[in-house]
Amino acid sequence: MTILVTGARGNVGRRVLDRLHSAGHTLRASGRTPGELSVPAGVDTVRLDLNSPDTFDAALDGVDKVFLYAESEGAKDFFAAAARAGVRHVVLLSSSTVGGPDAGTDALALLHAAVEDALAESALPATVLRPGAFDGNAFGWSDAVRRGQPVELPYTDAHTAPIHEGDIADVAAAALADETLVGRTLTLTGPQSLTFREQLGILGELLGREIPVRELTRDQAVEQMGRFVPAPILASLLGQWAAGVGRPATTLDTVERITGRPARTFRRWAGENLGAFAAQD
């Protein structure tokens, strides 16, 4: 049995690859430039661009299962190619926004829903993972924290329940190994609702210094973040954060139910990645 792991350079994909490799599975890692992939010994690499259908058949040849990042543009063609190749199970990394209150208008939700819909139409056996905010989103603050400058962000008191990327990978690996999870849609959260200010407080505590915060207005956030975030995605993020001000995020025990252990905390993630936030010499 061969498992194809897409997005093998990503924070989730490379962890999925490592977990499956440790469990002894036969693996194939894909990327747009496979020569740049760093993979465990014995793992094959292949070129796969989810926007280029001409790369699908070769990447899927002989593959039984797939861990897939959501990419809406080529989704229908990819699933058709997977069906031709005889793929027996797809584990799709989607987003909790698909099940959110604004799913019909939210750009992130619509993007991921398009992939979920294409997967459902394909009739391929599937497990859909819907995580919310990632712990790793905090890396966006690292440059300011290293320099001792204020972290500038809007809606500092917005709640999320950020999830450790390792927990997403653990659930994905379990889904690929456990046929009982076929047909399931799993919403994933971290174990605790935290505001952005509280996350920065945890980082500051571990660093032994206060991290100053400067709250941006929505217009200021659009001006600053709009330089590198597409407008529809930025509108989605700002809308979610605005809705989360003063409203603790829902936390679920899905990770613990699937893996048998509690989800990792943001404090743990911060400790593991503290070097990215340490002051520059």
Side-chain angles (χ1 to χ4, degrees), residues 56-152:
F56 295 169
D57 288 334
L60 288 162
D61 184 36
V63 166
D64 300 281
K65 298 185 178 184
V66 177
F67 172 73
L68 182 67
Y69 274 77
E71 175 56 64
S72 59
E73 183 174 334
K76 289 186 177 181
D77 289 333
F78 182 85
F79 296 133
R84 290 195 301 271
V87 169
R88 298 186 291 107
H89 187 193
V90 174
V91 174
L92 174 67
L93 183 61
S94 186
S95 166
S96 63
T97 57
V98 177
D102 300 317
T105 56
D106 182 280
L108 276 171
L110 292 170
L111 183 155
H112 288 90
V115 182
E116 288 192 21
D117 290 346
L119 179 55
E121 291 171 7
S122 76
L124 287 164
T127 305
V128 177
L129 308 183
R130 290 180 177 174
F134 289 10
D135 283 344
N137 292 349
F139 280 129
W141 306 328
S142 61
D143 185 63
V145 174
R146 282 196 309 271
R147 296 173 181 270
Q149 297 175 345
V151 172
E152 298 183 332

Side-chain angles (χ1 to χ4, degrees), residues 195-213:
T195 66
F196 295 140
R197 194 182 299 274
E198 287 170 335
Q199 291 180 55
L200 286 163
I202 290 170
L203 282 164
E205 181 184 335
L206 294 175
L207 289 166
R209 57 186 172 89
E210 183 178 352
I211 297 174
V213 181

